[in-house]
Amino acid sequence: MQYKSKNIAILGSTGSIGTQTLEVVRSNPELKVAALAAGSRVDELEAQIREFRPEVAGVWTEEAAKDLRVRIADLNVKVVSGMEGLLEIAAWPRYQVLVTAIVGMIGIRPTIAAIEAGKDIALANKETLVTAGHIIMPLARRQGVSILPVDSEHSAIFQSLNGEPAGRIEKILLTASGGPFRGKTKAQLAAIQPEDALKHPNWSMGRKITVDSSTLVNKGLEVMEAKWLFGVDLDRIQVVVHPQSVIHSAVQFVDGAIIAQLGTPDMKLPIQYALFYPDRRPMGGRRVDFFELGQLTFEEPDPDTFEGLKLAYRAAEQGGSMPTVFNAANEKAVALFLEKKIRYLEIPELIGKAMERHQVIEDPTVEQILETERQTYEYILGKVKDS
Ligand code: NAD
Ligand code: MG
């Protein structure tokens, strides 16, 4: 079968989602890469540029950009840097789908710029929806562009919905593996070290999201992400712990039917589905074997041990700028934990404290979101220095 070629751009091309997106490109010759952006790993980016030949490439610092320009002087590739570079890539004329595989709220402005330029978004960067969903979703509707979920749970929900309107959803069943510390008590978590938290039972991902999976903060962010993507109230989003990670999530419809998407844990499927939607394309890889599995099990999440999930629901209920505080406090706390400057249980503790002192701003602008992020970072750093 012949397919039309499709040009994509990737922000965060050297990361876990970025490199898996490039694997999908390798096995689908009709996908072309128009633009790539990475943080600081110039070596890897250079190799990607040589293989995929984009028209433009971005790195974060001007110093890295200078280095990259020298390395690829033999190629006709424009090199840009900083936020300005990310915005230029987002609005680049010759591509259709932007893959947002960058970590954190740095994704907000490029995502908005791409939507304004009429691009579809294959969205992995959940922090953007969590903090600016009230800006992104209406803007996408006005611009007539699609926000295609890459996060595996949201892709599963999207696949289960398959075009049915939000009005037919009774409940979203958002599955969670429970992470490496499922079944543990709070006391048992006190001595957890970064090495322990970086071991995920089923998925291989970037460092920050792996720690977030162990605290269930990731699931909390995903509840907020689902709320924005599918236009469903919080009380209709239920987290279900499912340790085998075979059911990637499900939708319960108004007639009681539950439709789920199952598969082996492999991010390439949701990435490919987002890039070709509404088509479904062939893909290799391991298949789920029901007989080998034997059984699938389910549990309720434990909100006392994993306070991050409880705090996420609270942040989502309060809305406005509170999800930004939740996300920023977590981001900074996780970074401090990975540097061994705070203990594991201080992650939710610090998030709770940052939320308590915050005065909610309703419908925050992008500037107010970024200012709230900055203030929250400062507050967390101050707290840690004082103690
Ligand atoms: P990662 O840390 O592996 O990769 C992040 C990428 O962003 C890297 O390429 C890095 O160079 C780039 N980057 C960082 N700062 C940058 C900057 N200032 N300018 C340009 N590029 C910059 O992260 P990841 O695990 O791939 O996650 C990416 C996003 O996808 C996150 O929002 C995460 O929550 C989400 N997500 C990831 C997975 C997964 O399986 N890894 C699953 C679902 C959702
Ligand atoms: Mg996920």
Side-chain angles (χ1 to χ4, degrees):
M1 203 164 149
Q2 275 292 307
Y3 294 98
K4 234 176 41 199
S5 84
K6 193 175 218 177
N7 288 354
I8 67 167
I10 308 173
L11 303 185
S13 65
T14 56
S16 162
I17 295 290
T19 51
Q20 292 181 87
T21 303
L22 290 172
E23 278 183 52
V24 170
V25 172
R26 278 193 194 102
S27 42
N28 289 282
E30 64 275 37
L31 290 176
K32 304 272 181 265
V33 178
L36 292 172
S40 54
R41 295 208 288 267
V42 175
D43 269 348
E44 276 175 66
L45 184 60
E46 180 190 350
Q48 292 181 345
I49 293 169
R50 293 197 178 277
E51 181 179 354
F52 295 97
R53 299 300 169 103
E55 297 174 10
V56 56
V59 281
W60 188 241
T61 65
E62 186 44 36
E63 204 187 327
K66 279 193 186 126
D67 179 15
L68 185 61
R69 279 185 202 111
V70 173
R71 287 164 181 256
I72 57 166
D74 58 315
L75 303 177
N76 183 21
V77 177
K78 181 170 184 185
V79 176
V80 295
S81 67
M83 180 50 74
E84 224 171 281
L86 292 179
L87 295 175
E88 186 172 344
I89 287 177
W92 195 256
R94 282 173 300 282
Y95 84 96
Q96 290 96 47
V97 188
L98 177 70
V99 181
T100 62
I102 208 165
V103 192
M105 286 179 236
I106 195 170
I108 298 175
R109 293 182 57 206
T111 305
I112 290 175
I115 298 171
E116 282 172 343
K119 316 292 185 185
D120 289 329
I121 309 292
L123 186 137
N125 176 228
K126 60 190 82 179
E127 297 88 345
T128 285
L129 270 192
V130 166
T131 59
H134 61 290
I135 298 171
I136 302 284
M137 294 312 290
L139 181 64
R141 268 193 296 276
R142 280 201 303 278
Q143 292 292 103
V145 309
S146 305
I147 308 289
L148 305 152
V150 166
D151 209 343
S152 59
E153 295 79 359
H154 304 76
S155 175
I157 295 161
F158 190 59
Q159 293 177 57
S160 301
L161 275 172
N162 203 16
E164 296 216 41
R168 293 194 195 143
I169 303 174
E170 188 166 86
K171 203 177 185 183
I172 283 176
L173 300 160
L174 188 71
T175 53
S177 71
F181 311 134
R182 181 178 58 89
K184 296 232 186 299
T185 61
K186 208 165 164 179
Q188 290 172 311
L189 295 187
I192 292 296
Q193 294 298 309
E195 308 78 90
D196 310 316
L198 287 171
K199 284 184 208 127
H200 193 280
N202 304 325
W203 295 92
S204 144
M205 310 178 283
R207 282 159 64 86
K208 187 228 167 215
I209 184 173
T210 304
V211 176
D212 290 353
S213 299
S214 80
T215 57
L216 294 201
V217 163
N218 181 52
K219 210 46 59 180
L221 294 171
E222 291 185 352
V223 167
M224 299 190 238
E225 189 185 5
K227 175 188 119 160
W228 288 116
L229 278 171
F230 305 111
V232 168
D233 291 339
L234 289 172
D235 58 356
R236 287 172 188 261
I237 305 173
Q238 183 175 18
V239 174
V240 178
V241 175
H242 164 48
Q244 297 84 14
S245 297
V246 169
I247 299 182
H248 295 318
S249 279
V251 177
Q252 180 175 315
F253 288 91
V254 286
D255 59 359
I258 295 177
I259 298 190
Q261 185 252 323
L262 286 70
T264 46
D266 183 348
M267 288 307 296
K268 291 198 291 298
L269 170 59
I271 293 168
Q272 179 170 294
Y273 190 79
L275 292 179
F276 287 103
Y277 179 80
D279 277 347
R280 190 182 279 282
R281 302 289 320 278
M283 201 178 118
R286 230 159 45 76
R287 298 323 196 208
V288 167
D289 180 336
F290 280 171
F291 302 122
E292 195 181 304
L293 272 173
Q295 58 178 347
L296 300 177
T297 61
F298 307 95
E299 296 164 21
E300 260 186 81
D302 167 3
D304 299 320
T305 307
F306 299 99
E307 276 174 284
L309 185 58
K310 210 160 52 180
L311 289 166
Y313 271 97
R314 193 177 305 156
E317 271 155 25
Q318 296 179 7
S321 53
M322 198 54 99
T324 297
V325 173
F326 173 86
N327 182 60
N330 175 63
E331 218 170 274
K332 196 45 86 187
V334 168
L336 290 165
F337 168 68
L338 288 173
E339 291 167 26
K340 305 204 173 198
K341 292 200 174 125
I342 63 168
R343 286 171 292 112
Y344 186 68
L345 289 176
E346 284 178 283
I347 299 172
E349 222 174 274
L350 285 169
I351 300 173
K353 282 187 181 148
M355 282 172 57
E356 249 166 58
R357 64 180 280 282
H358 180 67
Q359 278 279 329
V360 175
I361 308 166
E362 303 290 342
D363 275 325
T365 61
V366 173
E367 288 67 33
Q368 286 171 319
I369 292 168
L370 297 176
E371 177 56 21
T372 302
E373 175 189 46
R374 200 191 56 73
Q375 285 173 4
T376 307
Y377 283 173
E378 212 173 82
Y379 169 76
I380 300 285
L381 284 177
K383 269 281 195 242
V384 171
K385 240 185 259 144
D386 296 346
S387 61

